[in-house]
Amino acid sequence: MHCYTADWNPLGDEAYYRKLDLYSMVWDVREESLRECLVAAAPYGGPIALLKPKKEKSPGARPELHIYSASGVRLASTLWKNCPAVHLGWTASEDLLCIQEDGSVLVYSIFCEFKRCFRMGNEVLQNHVVEAKVFHTEYGTGVAILTGANRFILATNVDDLKLRRMPEVPGLQKPPSCWAVLCQDRVTILLLAIGQDLLLLDNTTCSTVTLPGMNPLAGSYLRMAVSFNYRYLALFTDTGYVWMGMSHLKEKLYDFTCSLRTPPKQMVWCTRPRSRQRAVALAWDRLLLVAGNAPKGIEYHLDEDSYLVPELDGVRIFSSSTHEFLHEIPEATQEIFKIASMAPGALLLEAQKAYECSYALPPPSPVCLRSALRTRWVLVLRARCQKTSKKESQKADEYLREIKEQDLLPEAVRKCIEAASYEHDPETQKALLRAASFGKCFVDKFPPESFVETCRDLRVLSAIRDYQIGIPLSYA
């Protein structure tokens, strides 16, 4: 609990971000080996798939497909006996999609058990796959493919395969610099960049798009990122300019200018439900930048090459040795732990700690006890304990009285329960729940359901977060 805010980093005036350690990876994957692999991490704290290339010193050796838990525990592995793979991705039901050069898609379970195979059409077979993306919509998990003929083929649901051949892009002689899958009005469309131009492909047409508030000197587009819920879009240009807005392309949120002009290796959204400030995380070789509605972003220096996995309420960051979670500090947590906070939840936590101290004073040392047996120091020690206990009890009473006078005690209890649900550290969870339990004693007819459900949910979350299971789910 001491220096709880030491790892908080401000982004603007209202939002704070922090990076939590989830696991020390227990796998035997080195940084050089990880850099050469095809990598795919399932959402919601799911498993990590690595397709290792075949070794140059052993031409007859085959690549290996490995699936690990989020903590690096190997779940399964198998030899890759198929056509070279271009992209790996996970479905919403945690099946692994392996997209090959010839357009065939192999489906594996999380234990490397082959389930089925489907093809993306003869045109893909003839022209091969240049680039592919796996995306999720309300209809299911989809696959989008760019062929060697610079045509896009789309399937919005791999469980009910219906291929869509997107319209041809006039004058497209080489692959676009970047592209992304968007969902607008229950229709899946493609947004692609060619230099300084943005093109939108729907079922029948290809049209040019102008983003609102885009700097005319922004330059050429190099990277795109769509948020986890497909509501927000970010673009990075060759001048270091980052545009952030809504995915319907009609509203700009804010922009940011980086000092680096080289395109990041990855760019993903880092946001959460009811976020105070939505942000984008950009990763270079040894630098992670969090950019939002602030003149200066948050910089984290990385020790190794890392991979970013967007989640509903943040970003998972894993390397060959560590697995971390970057997220915005929830509002309830900010109110309670912010320095010099006088919010009801903060006062209730202080009241409970003072009350606990008044009845849990440390015992005197054995040396003091032996000395006290021979002298009158027993009375002195007892008097000091009583004095300290009375002082702490008075502090607890003052804090409670201040909350009650504002009629905010039920709100304070709710905030402590909510803040406990967002915490990953068990000791912090217990401290907040003790404060909520303490405050409930002074509230008439406080409904116990939220407290009981939070305790039950945290017990389950703590169990599955253990490294042997390796599912770092959050409460959001």
Side-chain angles (χ1 to χ4, degrees), residues 40-323:
Y44 303 106
I48 301 170
L50 303 180
L51 182 57
K52 297 183 178 180
K54 64 181 181 181
K55 299 178 181 179
E56 296 181 358
K57 297 181 180 179
S58 305
R62 294 182 180 274
E64 297 178 357
L65 175 64
H66 297 275
I67 297 180
Y68 299 88
S69 71
S71 59
V73 175
R74 182 181 296 181
L75 301 177
S77 61
T78 186
L79 291 177
W80 187 258
K81 303 177 182 179
N82 306 288
C83 181
V86 176
H87 184 77
L88 304 180
W90 291 91
T91 67
S93 57
E94 289 196 346
D95 285 334
L96 179 64
L97 302 181
C98 305
I99 304 171
Q100 302 183 127
E101 281 185 352
D102 61 358
S104 58
V105 181
L106 308 182
V107 184
Y108 287 88
S109 71
I110 62 172
F111 300 109
C112 285
E113 298 167 343
F114 177 76
K115 301 181 73 172
R116 63 188 178 95
C117 173
F118 62 89
R119 296 186 177 275
M120 296 296 290
N122 291 328
E123 182 178 351
V124 180
L125 176 63
Q126 295 172 2
N127 297 294
H128 294 287
V129 178
V130 175
E131 194 176 348
K133 294 183 187 294
V134 175
F135 59 94
H136 304 277
T137 68
E138 58 185 296
Y139 302 109
T141 300
V143 175
I145 284 178
L146 173 63
T147 70
N150 297 319
R151 297 296 300 267
F152 288 94
I153 309 295
L154 200 67
T156 55
N157 187 357
V158 297
D159 294 323
D160 183 19
L161 195 64
K162 295 178 182 178
L163 300 179
R164 288 167 50 194
R165 189 169 184 262
M166 305 302 284
E168 183 178 2
V169 180
L172 184 61
Q173 301 297 324
K174 60 180 182 180
S177 56
C178 55
W179 58 283
V181 181
L182 305 178
C183 298
Q184 294 183 359
D185 300 325
R186 298 186 178 182
V187 177
T188 305
I189 58 178
L190 296 177
L191 180 69
L192 56 134
I194 305 174
Q196 299 184 17
D197 298 325
L198 286 176
L199 302 175
L200 198 64
L201 296 182
D202 58 18
N203 291 332
T204 57
T205 60
C206 172
S207 56
T208 304
V209 176
T210 302
L211 296 177
M214 174 61 72
N215 189 332
L217 303 177
S220 300
Y221 301 102
L222 300 179
R223 291 287 184 271
M224 287 186 192
V226 184
S227 65
F228 189 86
N229 56 9
Y230 288 84
R231 293 183 60 190
Y232 309 109
L233 173 70
L235 298 102
F236 180 91
T237 71
D238 59 2
T239 61
Y241 179 81
V242 182
W243 183 92
M244 290 167 270
M246 306 298 293
S247 61
H248 54 60
L249 310 178
K250 298 177 182 179
E251 180 182 348
K252 173 184 174 182
L253 296 176
Y254 25 78
D255 54 21
F256 185 86
T257 302
C258 303
S259 58
L260 296 174
R261 297 192 175 187
T262 55
K265 288 188 173 183
Q266 281 186 275
M267 182 172 72
V268 300
W269 279 86
C270 182
T271 184
R272 59 180 303 276
R274 301 186 301 276
S275 175
R276 286 192 170 187
Q277 182 172 160
R278 303 166 189 90
V280 173
L282 305 95
W284 287 268
D285 286 333
R286 290 292 187 272
L287 178 66
L288 176 67
L289 175 66
V290 181
N293 187 21
K296 186 178 180 180
I298 304 171
E299 294 186 0
Y300 295 97
H301 295 281
L302 306 173
D303 297 327
E304 301 173 293
D305 283 353
S306 301
Y307 289 84
L308 309 183
V309 185
E311 294 283 4
L312 177 65
D313 58 342
V315 176
R316 286 192 288 142
I317 307 166
F318 71 89
S319 65
S320 61
S321 61
T322 62
H323 199 153

